[in-house]
Amino acid sequence: MGLEIKILGPWETTADGAPVGVSGERRVGVLTRLALSAGQPVPADELLAQVWGHSTATTAGKQLHIVVSKLRALLSPHHDDEIIATVAGGYQLNLACERVDAHLFTLLARQARAARDRGAVATADALFQRALALWRGNALAGMTALWAQVESARLEEEHLTTLEDHIDLRLAAGDHHAVVPVLTTHAEANPLRERPRAQLMLALYRAARSSEALAVYQETRRVMIDELGIEPGAALRRMQQAVLRRDPALHLAPRAQRPTPARPVVPIELPADTRAFTARTAEVAWLRRTLSDTVPGLPTVAAIHGPGGIGKSALAIHVAHRVAGRFADGVLYLDLRAATAGREPLSPYEALSRLLRSLGLDGGAVPATLDEAAARYRSLTSTRKLLVILDDALDAGQVRPLIPAGPSCAVIVTSRLVMASLDNASHLRLTGLEEADAAALFAGIADAGRVRAEPEAARQIVRQCAGLPLALRIAAARLAAQPDRTLAKLADQLADPDRRLDALEHADLAIRDSIAVSLQHLPGEPVGHDAAHAFLLLGLLETPTHTAAAASALTDWPEHRAESALNHLMDARLLEPAGPGRYRMHDLIRLYAREQAARHVPEPVRVRATHRTFHHHRATAGNACS
């Protein structure tokens, strides 16, 4: 494999697949700038202006020389020739363009278009897929210099154009059912980009979903008028009119005249990596190791569980980007929606239907029953090498039919519940971040200048978020939306228990929603009612941990009944284990429980409950003293 530099996502340099430890903002900046011009000289003055910026010191030339010397020392053991050559007036990275993922992407995309133009559709399809699979996130992720932002924007535009060119090829081949979810995500992420909207309208029309196609046009028109004050362009207006009159030009060409991409379809559905992914070193290592450990005849299944907002999806996607290259038949990603506020979880049949379409099955060919669809899925995956991410799962019953049959396949499942009954699965319990890691995450997603200007306020914000990545992201989002607001003001709001949950709400993100979804998925009567009632009463207490005996006093139930309610709350990740026979409630969850108790539990009941608990604790303390 040799030396490779990857900038289409989080920055990474590898040698024979193993990371090379290049660190430091200027070293990374110089190497990245040289990599973007691999094989071509880059003037030293240009490197200084771009990497050192306008505050270039008189010693910057010497600093550049030192940085280049350090890079040579790091990289030379992995490269036969002189890796960074000194040339007239500058430096040159002597690395084949194909060893830099950005250049390889451009080359593959160019080859794909050339193959398409000469009618070699199967070749074009394979080349497009190889090019798009190189992307692991945003180009030059985490690099904030102006030159890096310009290069990132250029590469991102190439990425979007190549994705849309590939979709055109798939639409012409009759893959309209399979590209609808891809186009939906793409169009939502780029609401002012008209080409994918027109493609989505065409795909929906061919899938006999004309009303949805017209709704896409109306939504696009609304957004463009609201944001830009203009009507959609001519191409999109023509598409709308063609759908309205059912223009035969929109219909597929006869099968004999269609281009035929290579089969089977290689899905590349992995969402972008999280730019500010931080810490989780042990968890990343566990997941990578688990996905590498194979059992003969069985797919590998890694199940990550933990409370809402703890970062399960971020971990799964982050690691999936790093191992996706091992899976020659592609990556499937499915949001099972177990914890999506206002939406029902996908049924196993709905989930299977989506997976089958992603694997190239025409929508009309999806079997009509769950058993038949599951059998078809097993057949399609039995000889493939696929990575399947089943995100936000409800329970093992929802997941079990979605496990591929192929022994070379691997699955990552994320869920709030422990998938204890899922056969042959390895399990990871994800917990909150330590304070140092939480501070690093906050600093990575908030404005670094504002954090440096108010370090104590930043520490207070991190502390009040109590290690929950979702809370940290919401806090950073609120600051980004109000650039004139001080960190101290947000810290003060978070310090007030009565205002903290209000402060942890922004746009479509809210801690309250995350907790409420867990409550909604408690089991039915009577145990679900018991668990919900106990949850509200536990919010009245100031103690961080609880026992079945204390919960029995609180609820006035027999201890076995109280213990059953506590265990169901733990299953729902509204409580966490805190040692033998003890349960802990996260600070933010306790605030929510207290807030809901004030609304839904009559005051006399609250008073009696806390009174009983007080006497229980006194009696317990007295027995301990005697």
Side-chain angles (χ1 to χ4, degrees):
M1 295 170 66
L3 191 67
E4 293 181 302
I5 297 174
K6 301 175 183 179
I7 60 179
L8 300 181
W11 190 89
E12 193 174 289
T13 297
T14 61
D16 297 323
V20 176
V22 179
S23 60
E25 185 177 348
R26 286 176 176 167
R27 289 185 196 177
V28 170
V30 168
L31 183 55
T32 302
R33 181 61 191 83
L34 292 172
L36 285 165
S37 300
Q40 301 293 325
V42 180
D45 289 346
E46 188 174 317
L47 286 169
L48 288 169
Q50 292 181 336
V51 178
W52 270 256
H54 296 300
S55 60
T56 305
T58 55
T59 59
K62 184 177 180 179
Q63 292 174 19
L64 173 59
H65 177 72
I66 293 171
V67 166
V68 170
S69 296
K70 295 289 187 183
L71 288 172
R72 285 170 175 160
L74 284 166
L75 302 178
S76 293
H78 310 292
H79 195 71
D80 294 336
D81 302 322
E82 184 180 23
I83 185 64
I84 301 178
T86 301
V87 296
Y91 299 94
Q92 177 175 311
L93 181 68
N94 290 325
L95 188 67
C97 288
E98 294 83 357
R99 296 291 181 180
V100 180
D101 61 355
H103 293 299
L104 179 58
F105 168 75
T106 301
L107 173 65
L108 291 170
R110 187 185 307 124
Q111 292 175 344
R113 293 184 183 101
R116 175 200 62 194
D117 293 344
R118 66 174 183 267
V121 177
T123 300
D125 180 64
L127 288 167
F128 273 130
Q129 291 186 44
R130 282 187 59 198
L132 293 167
L134 294 172
W135 284 78
R136 301 169 292 112
N138 296 319
L140 301 171
M143 301 184 70
T144 57
L146 179 60
W147 71 270
Q149 292 177 6
V150 170
E151 286 296 327
S152 175
R154 176 184 65 80
L155 289 166
E156 293 288 349
E157 178 61 31
E158 283 190 27
H159 180 209
L160 297 180
T161 300
T162 301
L163 173 63
E164 291 158 9
D165 285 350
H166 186 216
I167 286 170
D168 273 344
L169 191 77
R170 295 181 66 184
L171 282 170
D175 280 350
H176 41 273
H177 288 287
V179 300
V180 165
V182 178
L183 278 168
T184 300
T185 301
H186 178 35
E188 287 176 353
N190 301 275
L192 300 178
R193 197 173 178 90
E194 294 189 43
R195 184 182 179 192
R197 297 277 173 153
Q199 291 175 318
L200 179 55
M201 290 178 68
L202 177 59
L204 288 167
Y205 177 79
R206 287 181 176 173
R209 297 161 67 179
S210 300
S211 61
E212 293 175 64
L214 293 171
V216 169
Y217 176 82
Q218 293 300 332
E219 173 62 12
T220 305
R221 182 174 183 271
R222 183 192 65 76
V223 170
M224 295 191 71
I225 290 173
D226 288 349
E227 297 290 331
L228 304 176
I230 61 173
E231 293 280 347
L236 205 57
R237 294 199 304 272
R238 286 196 297 270
M239 179 61 72
Q240 183 218 20
Q241 292 301 313
V243 172
L244 285 169
R245 64 175 180 268
R246 300 189 178 277
D247 192 331
L250 299 182
H251 299 163
L252 271 174
R255 186 173 294 276
Q257 299 174 23
R258 294 180 208 165
T260 306
R263 289 293 188 269
V265 168
V266 178
I268 308 295
E269 297 181 346
L270 194 56
D273 198 0
T274 302
R275 180 176 298 187
F277 189 88
T278 303
R280 301 293 195 198
T281 304
E283 293 87 348
V284 167
W286 177 89
L287 187 51
R288 294 188 72 152
R289 185 171 61 253
T290 300
L291 295 173
S292 300
D293 293 342
T294 58
V295 177
L298 295 172
T300 300
V301 181
I304 305 168
H305 65 273
I310 207 70
K312 302 180 293 294
S313 299
L315 172 64
I317 291 168
H318 179 74
V319 172
H321 275 287
R322 275 139 190 80
V323 302
R326 303 181 201 161
F327 297 91
D329 294 309
V331 181
L332 292 167
Y333 173 85
L334 190 59
D335 181 359
L336 294 171
R337 299 199 315 229
T340 303
R343 303 189 72 183
E344 289 295 316
L346 289 184
S347 70
Y349 178 75
E350 288 177 300
L352 272 174
S353 297
R354 296 187 185 199
L355 291 172
L356 288 170
R357 289 196 293 269
S358 293
L359 290 170
L361 205 63
D362 186 273
V366 173
T369 69
L370 174 61
D371 287 346
E372 291 172 331
R376 188 79 172 108
Y377 179 64
R378 291 193 297 271
S379 175
L380 286 174
T381 59
S382 61
T383 59
R384 297 197 190 186
K385 192 169 187 178
L386 283 163
L387 176 61
V388 182
I389 296 97
L390 302 173
D391 200 9
D392 193 15
L394 178 62
D395 53 30
Q398 184 192 37
V399 167
R400 199 170 285 112
L402 313 180
I403 303 298
S408 297
C409 295
V411 184
I412 305 174
V413 183
T414 73
S415 63
R416 298 192 180 189
L417 296 180
V418 184
M419 297 284 169
S421 63
L422 201 59
D423 293 338
N424 307 307
S426 300
H427 300 277
L428 173 68
R429 173 174 164 254
L430 207 59
T431 57
L433 294 171
E434 297 294 332
E435 189 166 328
D437 291 335
L441 174 60
F442 181 70
I445 54 182
D447 185 304
R450 294 168 76 183
V451 171
R452 286 193 296 269
E454 296 183 78
E456 181 55 34
R459 281 191 289 272
Q460 291 176 23
I461 291 170
V462 169
R463 202 168 296 122
Q464 296 298 344
C465 289
L468 195 67
L470 175 61
L472 293 162
R473 292 181 183 281
I474 294 173
R478 284 183 70 98
L479 290 170
Q482 297 175 299
D484 297 331
R485 186 183 197 184
T486 64
L487 271 68
K489 187 171 182 179
L490 178 59
D492 289 343
Q493 188 176 358
L494 287 168
D496 182 349
D498 293 331
R499 302 167 64 204
R500 193 175 307 159
L501 293 180
D502 291 330
L504 293 175
E505 187 169 326
H506 179 75
D508 61 339
L509 298 176
I511 293 296
R512 284 189 181 94
D513 289 345
S514 178
I515 301 169
V517 170
S518 289
L519 279 173
Q520 290 168 12
H521 291 311
L522 287 172
E525 300 284 2
V527 69
H529 177 79
D530 278 0
H533 184 66
F535 174 77
L536 298 181
L537 295 184
L538 289 170
L540 302 174
L541 306 181
E542 297 295 339
T543 53
T545 61
H546 312 285
T547 64
S552 173
L554 178 70
T555 56
D556 201 23
W557 298 337
E559 190 169 322
H560 68 85
R561 180 179 174 186
E563 185 175 23
S564 176
L566 292 176
N567 286 332
H568 279 91
L569 290 173
M570 191 165 67
D571 287 343
R573 288 298 170 264
L574 293 167
L575 293 175
E576 291 295 314
R582 302 193 70 84
Y583 307 79
R584 177 182 290 109
M585 182 176 279
H586 190 281
D587 287 349
L588 296 175
I589 295 178
R590 181 171 55 81
L591 289 178
Y592 177 82
R594 177 180 300 176
E595 180 182 88
Q596 295 302 305
R599 294 179 182 176
H600 302 296
V601 179
E603 184 176 1
V605 176
R606 300 201 304 269
V607 171
R608 286 197 300 271
T610 53
H611 183 72
R612 287 192 302 268
T613 307
F614 172 75
H615 283 287
H616 167 79
H617 284 306
R618 285 193 63 182
T620 303
N623 291 335
C625 291
S626 62

